[in-house]
Amino acid sequence: MEEDFSQWQRQLFTVAGKGNLEQALALVGKIEKLFPEKKHRTSFWKAALYCAKGSPDHGLSILQDAVKNGVWWHPDRLLQDPDFENIRHLPEFDEIIQNCKKKLADAQSHGKPELSVWPSSPTDPMILSIHWRGDNVSNFSGFWNVDQLKDRFTLAFPQSSQPFGPEAFCWDDWDLAKRELFEAYEKVCRNYGFDRDRVITAGASQGGKLALELALEENEIPAKGFIAIVPAVRETGQYASLIERAAKQGIRGVIITGDQDHFYSEIEDLCAEFDKYGFIYKLMVTEGLGHFIPDDFPDQLIEAVEFILNGNTNTYKELRMLGEQNLFQIRATGVLIENGEILLVKQKVSEERSWSLPGGRVEHGETVEEAVIREVREETGLEAEVVKLLYVCEKLSVRPPVLHITFLLRKIGGKLTLPSNEFDENPISEVRMVPVSQLHDYHFSEKFMKIVQNGFPGAGSYQGDKSSIGL
């Protein structure tokens, strides 16, 4: 299943992004065995990782072997990837570039657009779903291939004619991309029944940017709105006139993203432009998500379509203020202190902090107490029991909003053990008992350290936003 490959890819990027290169190489080895048809991706990743870890000769050799076996990549990927900086001057690397340029030119001479359509009822809405850069319809449609979407919407998946690599396409020529998308829409109109008054453009990354622009512009596609998934937007001020026009036309938009996406700051700038011109939109942010499609994408997509088509005029900020989006995710966190030391786990929390308290989401059918005990066991190897409730807090700036419940714990057994992390997209790389007085060295706030040192004043109470306890 393509979704499985996407999950492995997400885990790999998370591990590599934390600088765990040996672990990342081990993951690539697993992915190679599971997905031998993805050689053009796995060989690129492996070569980049070896170059990054100081073995450029090995990295170059991997690229050369892949090219000998017919693999190629878009030359820009090789020339722009910083991991290849230390081999870019070599004549052998230039040979690889020239080979890839020939393969790209040949692919361009044979490139043609394609269209895949999954029809639904003639009275259902239609979503024009645009793949991201370096992908294809077969892969991208896998994220949409669930009955809860196929039973509700006619889904059209246009594929660009512009090659980016083996079985990979892009929308780099913007004018050509839009012409092909207009033609794809006309084909859907000619051959399939759907509600012409309920058309939505959607896409991910580069495709998300295209979906946004197609809906904001006045063109051949009469979109009621857009759903931009981790859109690759830059220079958001250029959209001012389009946003102003679309706001007057009643167009609506939804952005589905994560707070760890490298385009997140640009997305915030874009939302400021929406607010400036009174454009009706909804921002759906998944905590901890990078430049990926969220795991609960089908649910988010249905919610986005309902927002666009059913006339709800509240923005995400207004919904949050009104308390209409109050389906909280519940997370249980444990504070375990022994001999003046506090239990911490190392995993990505934010750009500033990579250490956190153990804990996680409460699963279906378990109590909050059972959840925190389970999470501590799974993440650290320790057996613990709850001493008392410390604080109840919330975080409303993410989607879904999170209710954080923190407990004081007591160790009753076990020993510190690093979890396997095999299927964890945000793996734990270290478990440690840390002196409370050194919490600031692990990028915890002064406020939280003082709360711990002062014996948790106000324990057992609701504290409002999570920041009120320094987390």
Side-chain angles (χ1 to χ4, degrees), residues 196-201 215 221-226 249-253 279 308-309:
R196 307 297 173 84
D197 292 325
R198 296 195 293 166
V199 175
I200 295 172
T201 55
I221 302 176
K224 293 295 184 184
F226 65 82
Q249 297 294 319
I251 305 298
R252 295 181 174 86
F279 181 81
I308 290 171
L309 297 181

Side-chain angles (χ1 to χ4, degrees), residues 250-280:
I251 305 298
R252 295 181 174 86
V254 175
I255 296 178
I256 296 175
T257 189
D259 59 2
Q260 299 303 308
D261 183 15
H262 47 268
F263 289 102
Y264 189 64
S265 62
E266 287 85 354
I267 290 170
E268 290 182 313
D269 292 341
L270 180 62
C271 290
E273 291 291 320
F274 290 158
D275 290 332
K276 180 178 178 180
Y277 293 101
F279 181 81
I280 300 167

Side-chain angles (χ1 to χ4, degrees), residues 257-261 264 285-290 349 351 395 398:
T257 189
D259 59 2
Q260 299 303 308
D261 183 15
Y264 189 64
V285 183
T286 298
E287 185 177 15
L289 180 71
V349 179
E351 292 300 326
K395 187 171 183 179
V398 296

Side-chain angles (χ1 to χ4, degrees), residues 343-345 358 375-383 415-419 428 431:
L343 178 63
L344 300 180
V345 298
E375 288 286 348
V376 170
R377 180 189 309 117
E378 292 176 353
E379 294 185 353
T380 73
L382 297 183
E383 294 294 335
K415 63 179 181 178
L416 289 181
T417 305
L418 191 66
I428 293 170
V431 180

